[in-house]
Amino acid sequence: MEIKNLSKYSNAEKIVLAEQLWDSVSKNDLEISDEVKKELDIRIQNLEEGKTELYTWDEVKNHLKTIR
C-alpha cells in the first residue's frame, strides 16, 4: 500500500487521517501473545507498587545524547 502526495495536506489534516486510521483498527483484531500480556501485567504491577523508576522526556533525550 502506498499513500501518495501526503505533502499536499496540512499537518492538521494528516493528524485527522492518522486518527481515523487508528480508530478503524478494531481492538479485538489486535493480537498480543500471552508472553507480552504477562510482561505488561508485571510492568503495571511494578509501576503501581512504586518499583519502577520514571523519567521525563527531557531526561530521556539528554541520556540518549550522552550515549551517542
Side-chain angles (χ1 to χ4, degrees):
M1 178 173 88
E2 182 180 339
I3 300 174
K4 298 179 181 180
N5 299 321
L6 277 178
S7 61
K8 71 179 183 179
Y9 298 102
S10 70
N11 286 339
E13 290 171 318
K14 291 177 192 176
I15 291 169
V16 169
L17 174 61
E19 289 173 344
Q20 290 174 348
L21 285 170
W22 183 252
D23 290 343
S24 73
V25 176
S26 170
K27 291 178 184 173
N28 296 328
D29 293 340
L30 298 176
E31 294 181 23
I32 300 174
S33 71
D34 288 339
E35 290 176 350
V36 171
K37 288 178 187 177
K38 183 178 178 181
E39 179 63 28
L40 291 172
D41 287 340
I42 290 169
R43 291 181 184 203
I44 290 170
Q45 182 177 354
N46 287 340
L47 181 63
E48 290 173 345
E49 293 175 359
K51 296 178 182 176
T52 300
E53 193 168 347
L54 302 176
Y55 302 94
T56 66
W57 180 235
D58 285 332
E59 290 171 323
V60 172
K61 288 190 295 187
N62 289 334
H63 175 70
L64 290 173
K65 288 177 185 176
T66 63
I67 63 172
R68 288 187 185 174

